[in-house]
Amino acid sequence: MKKRKIFLLTGTAALLMALAGCSSTDKKQDAAVAEVPMNYEVIIAHMNDTHGRVKEGKYDGMGFARVSTVVKDLKANEENVLFLDAGDTFHGTTFATLSKGESIVRLLNAMDLDALSPGNHDFNYGKERLKELEEMAEFDIVSANVIDEDGDYFFNPYVIKEMEGVRVGIFGLATPETAYKTNPKNVEGLTFGTPAEYAEKAVAKLKEEGAQLIVAVCHLGIDESTLRENQSIGVVEAVDGIDILVDGHSHTALKNGMVVNDTMIVQTGEYDKNFGVVRVRVSDGKMEVAAKLITKAEAMGRVEKSEVVVEEAQRISAVDKYSIKPGDTLTKIAANYDVPMSVILEANAGIGDPNRIYVNDEIMIPVEREVVNVVKESSTRVIPGIPEDPEIVKLIGEIEQEQMKITEVEVGTTPVALDGEREQVRRGETNLGNLITDSMLWETGADIAITNGGGIRASIEKGTIKVGDIISVLPFGNYVITKRVSGQDIIDAIEHGISDYPATKGAFPHVGGIRVTFDESKPAGSRVVEIETNSGEKIDPAREYVLATNDFMAAGGDDYLMFKDRPQVGNFEGLDEILRKYVEEEGVTQTRIDGRMKVVN
């Protein structure tokens, strides 16, 4: 029988459970364990897929400094607290990539992370670099299904944490999609085993070593595009004995978790927009689990303004003008207005005889009226959020200062200015856009490259090119994905990108591997005259091509929906990293535009 219960937490943690109901589940205990009643509580704080977003931002989450405050408050007020990360953590922003992940490790050390399971993008610097990061880490990196060339575990498959009254076993799982959702060169020699098979081994081993609570921290996800057997749902359907599964990869926000086969699966979404807390309570061998997300909105706090309308009634003196009608007498008028005759006579000194009034004369009648005044009363209520941990704020600032030295490193030179001005890249071909797309083809070997003009944010002046210049051009941390698409998809994409021409549009396409001719006088959706490859062949709508694009567009960003559901072929480094490497090794090969986006009318 499933039970529903809300637990009370102290300090910042009280915010976690008070905001909404929590899911809970009873856990069946092994007969051998049930003979000895257990009583303990464990709190699991968790995050996933932060992708280097360490600072609060308009499109990012609450920032690591607020996450740290939650974790420290929990650890200060509760006996058994674990802080876990389900991967895709070391890569994704300039802050992360400039030091190849070291900056993130330093922050996680300061935040007292307990364990992390690597995601596919954590391999983006190569497997050797990930092992170097493991050496720097004061937390455990665990993965039970990453196997090296010798058949050994590449990471520790699991750890056991001795806590007050309970031994907690933690094992990790990496998505088998890592084999192609990072550059395959990064994982040469590694095998990513079937998750359920290795999970079963890990659970058995942890039970053998006396683990009473078993937690899987996995970068698997629940996306339907992933094979069921490689999803976290598939794992817990196939493997008994996992109490909690902390998940990542699919960027899914599970508000109160999801129970499958008596296992609570939790995931926070992406970019620290949410932070998760799970409370496990075991009483006399019976387990109850409650999961909750703290949202960015809750973490940031808010000001609520309210307005109350109050009506105030009061009586005031007034004077009515009255025009005498046939048959009127002052006696009748006084009776109708309920005003004493003497008051009317006093207000109308010209009337000598109250019985002599004339039709159409105007007299003044003093009256009292009730007037309702409407008063608006405003009030402001401040609902506090989660304060930033000053230690983490300081450390982020120090790292940013250190990174300024890196941004001054020279990567090459350009004989001409490279045009990345907003008005240019959002409405036409530029030499910088061509350089970027050519670097994408060079790195991936794709047939065609397309990137959106809105992602190009600065120009590069003639002369020396520094790391900081590359970052300024491509500041978003987007990485490159290759997908298998049809020729019709390419045609549709170009039509979409040029639909507002000559107006500026962030979706305007910069291309490599093809040349486009379009007629701006035609209606949107039918402007393409011709698209041909660099070899002179016309794009065949029915043929398949390998497209290199950025992850934003690959997911349907800027309304490039024709790419969203197409199969992924490969996954590569950050776009800024690829451009930097291209300039270092090939130089600036595009000094002027070459007619890739030709306009006719």
Side-chain angles (χ1 to χ4, degrees):
M1 177 180 177
K2 305 297 182 189
K3 291 191 175 181
R4 186 171 296 276
K5 189 167 184 178
I6 299 175
F7 298 115
L8 300 178
L9 303 182
T10 59
T12 302
L15 173 65
L16 313 180
M17 300 302 178
L19 294 167
C22 304
S23 299
S24 64
T25 178
D26 295 340
K27 183 69 182 178
K28 294 175 288 188
Q29 304 294 323
D30 291 338
V33 176
E35 292 175 2
V36 182
M38 296 179 293
N39 296 280
Y40 62 82
E41 291 186 11
V42 174
I43 292 176
I44 300 168
H46 63 96
M47 63 184 185
N48 58 272
D49 295 276
T50 54
H51 289 273
R53 269 68 172 184
V54 303
K55 296 175 72 174
E56 183 271 328
K58 182 177 180 181
Y59 301 107
D60 298 330
M62 64 188 73
F64 276 24
R66 287 185 176 83
V67 169
S68 181
T69 295
V70 177
V71 174
K72 287 183 178 179
D73 188 77
L74 286 170
K75 290 194 173 186
N77 290 286
E78 304 286 342
E79 282 189 340
N80 298 331
V81 178
L82 289 169
F83 178 23
L84 306 178
D85 189 315
D88 272 6
T89 306
F90 301 133
H91 186 276
T93 62
T94 298
F95 182 90
T97 59
L98 279 179
S99 63
K100 294 187 176 181
E102 181 179 351
S103 56
I104 305 297
V105 171
R106 290 172 62 185
L107 285 178
L108 295 178
N109 286 344
M111 293 165 69
D112 200 18
L113 184 70
D114 290 291
L116 175 146
S117 182
N120 50 297
H121 289 296
D122 293 320
F123 288 89
N124 278 6
Y125 310 116
K127 64 181 182 181
E128 292 82 8
R129 178 57 177 174
L130 188 49
K131 292 297 286 185
E132 291 173 356
L133 295 177
E134 182 183 29
E135 289 297 315
M136 301 174 197
E138 296 169 10
F139 49 88
D140 295 295
I141 295 183
V142 291
S143 194
N145 67 325
V146 182
I147 309 301
D148 67 16
E149 294 170 294
D150 298 322
D152 298 324
Y153 292 112
F154 191 66
F155 301 102
N156 288 332
Y158 62 84
V159 293
I160 293 179
K161 299 287 186 180
E162 296 283 353
M163 310 193 85
E164 291 294 326
V166 61
R167 286 166 60 83
V168 181
I170 305 168
F171 73 94
L173 292 171
T175 176
E177 294 176 343
T178 305
Y180 61 88
K181 285 193 172 180
T182 185
N183 191 324
K185 298 176 185 176
N186 296 331
V187 292
E188 283 182 347
L190 297 183
T191 300
F192 296 85
T194 302
E197 175 187 343
Y198 285 86
E200 191 165 30
K201 293 178 183 177
V203 169
K205 190 67 177 173
L206 285 168
K207 285 184 175 180
E208 181 183 313
E209 296 189 20
Q212 296 156 293
L213 179 69
I214 295 180
V215 179
V217 55
C218 306
H219 197 79
L220 298 176
I222 58 175
D223 195 294
E224 291 183 359
S225 66
T226 297
L227 291 174
R228 184 80 168 192
E229 65 184 28
N230 292 336
Q231 296 177 29
S232 56
I233 293 174
V235 170
V236 298
E237 285 176 336
V239 180
D240 294 330
I242 302 171
D243 296 300
I244 313 294
L245 190 150
V246 178
D247 201 15
H249 191 46
S250 60
H251 293 209
T252 309
L254 298 174
K255 184 178 179 181
N256 297 123
M258 175 174 62
V259 178
V260 179
N261 190 25
D262 283 344
T263 299
M264 174 67 83
I265 301 174
V266 294
Q267 192 181 157
T268 65
E270 64 181 4
Y271 304 163
D272 50 271
K273 293 175 182 175
N274 301 293
F275 185 69
V277 175
V278 181
R279 183 184 281 269
V280 181
R281 177 179 289 169
V282 174
S283 179
D284 295 330
K286 188 175 185 179
M287 181 180 292
E288 291 178 323
V289 182
K292 178 71 182 81
L293 294 182
I294 306 174
T295 67
K296 179 184 178 181
E298 293 160 354
M300 299 301 293
R302 64 188 186 276
V303 176
E304 284 189 352
K305 293 184 178 180
S306 59
E307 192 174 76
V308 178
V309 177
V310 179
E311 294 184 350
E312 295 180 344
Q314 65 179 104
R315 296 190 69 81
I316 63 170
S317 297
V319 177
D320 279 358
K321 289 181 179 181
Y322 182 80
S323 181
I324 304 298
K325 300 177 179 61
D328 275 344
T329 67
L330 287 185
T331 302
K332 289 170 62 176
I333 294 170
N336 289 338
Y337 272 89
D338 193 22
V339 176
M341 175 79 73
S342 59
V343 172
I344 296 177
L345 289 172
E346 186 180 339
N348 297 274
I351 301 176
D353 183 351
N355 295 313
R356 298 188 66 178
I357 54 176
Y358 302 94
V359 174
N360 295 328
D361 279 358
E362 278 193 347
I363 63 173
M364 310 302 290
I365 304 176
V367 295
E368 280 195 353
R369 284 200 177 86
E370 186 176 85
V371 176
V372 177
N373 294 320
V374 177
V375 180
K376 293 181 179 180
E377 296 180 355
S378 298
S379 64
T380 299
R381 182 167 70 113
V382 177
I383 300 175
I386 298 170
E388 292 184 304
D389 180 349
E391 178 187 351
I392 301 303
V393 172
K394 180 182 177 184
L395 182 54
I396 289 173
E398 291 172 352
I399 292 171
E400 288 178 327
Q401 285 295 315
E402 294 168 8
Q403 290 184 342
M404 289 179 67
K405 301 174 185 176
I406 302 175
T407 60
E408 291 300 306
V409 173
E410 297 182 6
V411 298
T413 61
T414 175
V416 297
L418 298 173
D419 187 0
E421 295 305 304
R422 179 187 177 92
E423 290 297 313
Q424 299 299 107
V425 296
R426 292 174 181 242
R427 64 182 301 273
E429 174 189 355
T430 75
N431 55 0
L432 180 55
N434 291 350
L435 181 68
I436 293 169
T437 53
D438 282 356
S439 73
M440 294 164 71
L441 293 176
W442 174 78
E443 176 66 19
T444 65
D447 302 312
I448 299 164
I450 303 178
T451 196
N452 56 319
I456 302 171
R457 309 297 283 196
S459 297
I460 297 177
E461 297 301 318
K462 176 181 177 180
T464 301
I465 302 175
K466 298 179 180 180
V467 171
D469 297 321
I470 302 287
I471 293 168
S472 295
V473 170
L474 300 166
F476 298 120
N478 293 115
Y479 49 91
V480 173
I481 284 177
T482 52
K483 286 198 161 192
R484 195 170 300 282
V485 302
S486 69
Q488 188 61 54
D489 290 331
I490 297 299
I491 295 168
D492 292 344
I494 299 300
E495 287 282 12
H496 168 65
I498 63 175
S499 62
D500 292 348
Y501 185 89
T504 58
K505 181 177 182 177
F508 187 89
H510 292 259
V511 303
I514 56 174
R515 297 181 182 277
V516 177
T517 302
F518 68 95
D519 187 343
E520 66 172 309
S521 69
K522 300 291 185 182
S526 57
R527 291 181 161 184
V528 170
V529 175
E530 183 178 72
I531 303 176
E532 61 180 21
T533 67
N534 286 352
S535 63
E537 296 179 1
K538 289 185 179 181
I539 287 289
D540 182 349
R543 179 184 161 186
E544 285 192 335
Y545 298 86
V546 175
L547 169 73
T549 189
N550 62 66
D551 61 314
F552 170 71
M553 292 175 63
D558 267 349
D559 281 334
Y560 279 96
L561 301 179
M562 66 291 298
F563 298 151
K564 184 177 180 180
D565 297 322
R566 296 298 178 261
Q568 187 169 310
V569 178
N571 198 300
F572 297 83
E573 290 80 2
L575 187 50
D576 60 322
E577 296 171 85
I578 290 172
L579 179 59
R580 174 181 173 178
K581 187 163 57 173
Y582 183 82
V583 171
E584 286 175 334
E585 298 186 22
E586 301 294 322
V588 173
T589 54
Q590 295 76 16
T591 57
R592 58 182 181 270
I593 62 173
D594 55 20
R596 300 182 191 193
M597 297 295 294
K598 186 178 179 182
V599 186
V600 297
N601 52 36

